[in-house]
Amino acid sequence: MSDVLLGIETSCDETSAAVLITDRGVPELASLVILSQDIHKIFGGVVPELASRAHLKAIQPVVDRALTEAGVPLNAVDGIAVTAGPGLVGALLVGVCYAKALAAAGNRPLVGVHHLEGHLFAPALDYADLKPPFVALVVSGGHTVLLDVPEWGRYRLLGATRDDAAGEAFDKVAKLLELGYPGGPAIERLAAGGTDRYDFPRPMLNRGFDFSFSGLKTAVLYAVRDCGSLENERQDIAASFQSAVIDVLINKVALALDHTGYSTVVIGGGVACNRELAVRMADANAGHARVVVAQSRLNTDNAAMIARAGWFHLRQGRRSNMTLDADPRMPWPGLERDPEMYPSPR
Ligand code: KG4
Ligand code: ZN
């Protein structure tokens, strides 16, 4: 078992490294460095080639800084966890190659981690007592999945988005509202001063576990087109959109809790930074289910969550070897699909 574990994450536009130190069997976060690539703000979205180049420049200083902040020299690191996918292939490759080099040079165990499994483990860093079974909702810029988690490492897919991911919907609506990238935080800020006055659709409410956000996005498009003055309506449109998304997420979680009989729900991914979501989800479940959400810096892309998921796998005896490769469409290890709900791989 690794006592000092280095985590590395470069799947999209954050270069991140973290050190996890295990003391008496409990993994504690010793440092976390996240370098967000601001360059993409100019373009209103992530430019893959620029992301790869920025990772290449940043990876060494970011890892050095994480080790310094944790107070451990490189030769004290005895395990490495790295995001192997899904994500942007060029961006992933930077982290994977760097991690492989460190593993080979120091003869250290290496484990490739699935990015979404990382998001799922993030709350376990803040809540050491968190244990399955629970319902999990992972809402990020690229994915929206609802899971039944009977134990760590085993995940039953209940539902997924049929079109846009929740975070993607926030980003696209932010563009319609002429806000910057990423859209989620900007919409949340605006919504705080607005009123849920627009009657936007709540797609697929009470209809199974799947999500769909593209119709809601189109409804916002029409509202923006017809509102007369975007300047005057922006806050109310943002508040109404955010409220519609949250209603849908609360509804699907309620269905999943009902279906599984569990009394805990874990929310992860960038959209879990949304305070209104956390507060309303907790209110809706008050008295019958515990709602677990990590602190914000652990919800958006970061290496601490990758280290925590890697720690679990290393403890299970799993190792990657030098054939580990970046896989932009990496299947989620341990994910089971209900063959009736998901007859073919998606
Ligand atoms: O998990 P993440 O950092 O990256 C991916 O794996 O995709 O998620 C990024 C997404 C973006 O779409 C961003 O707009 C959204 O999370 N997000 C938010 C908030 N903060 C970030 N969405 C809603 N409210 C927020 N406060
Ligand atoms: Zn992510």
Side-chain angles (χ1 to χ4, degrees), residues 9 11-12 14 86 115-116 119 138-143 269-270 299-302 305:
E9 151 70 38
S11 69
C12 191
E14 258 89 30
H115 181 80
L116 289 187
H119 277 303
V138 181
V139 268
S140 73
H143 297 86
N299 284 327
T300 44
D301 291 350
N302 70 86
M305 66 185 200

Side-chain angles (χ1 to χ4, degrees), residues 30-187:
S31 69
L32 170 59
V33 177
I34 306 170
L35 186 73
S36 294
Q37 303 176 352
D38 279 347
I39 181 137
H40 307 288
K41 291 200 168 123
I42 303 168
F43 301 96
V46 179
V47 183
E49 179 59 23
L50 295 180
S52 315
R53 284 194 229 167
H55 284 308
L56 261 183
K57 264 192 162 165
I59 185 87
Q60 175 85 50
V62 164
V63 167
D64 284 350
R65 176 78 182 267
L67 292 171
T68 305
E69 283 186 11
V72 292
L74 179 58
N75 62 16
V77 170
D78 39 22
I80 297 169
V82 63
T83 309
L88 302 169
V89 67
L92 288 163
L93 263 174
V94 176
V96 168
C97 292
Y98 192 85
K100 276 163 67 172
L102 283 185
N107 197 22
R108 304 171 174 100
L110 169 73
V111 65
V113 171
H114 190 276
H115 181 80
L116 289 187
E117 190 176 24
H119 277 303
L120 192 56
F121 269 94
L125 287 161
D126 276 341
Y127 302 91
D129 65 325
L130 177 64
K131 284 190 182 63
F134 53 72
V135 164
L137 174 68
V138 181
V139 268
S140 73
H143 297 86
T144 298
V145 290
L146 189 64
L147 304 168
D148 162 357
V149 182
E151 57 183 303
W152 288 121
R154 272 189 63 210
Y155 313 105
R156 296 194 193 112
L157 183 66
L158 296 173
T161 184
R162 298 201 174 170
D163 39 62
D164 294 345
E168 189 180 359
F170 269 93
D171 294 336
K172 288 179 175 169
V173 163
K175 266 197 184 153
L176 294 175
L177 296 178
E178 296 169 10
L179 306 169
Y181 173 87
I187 290 193

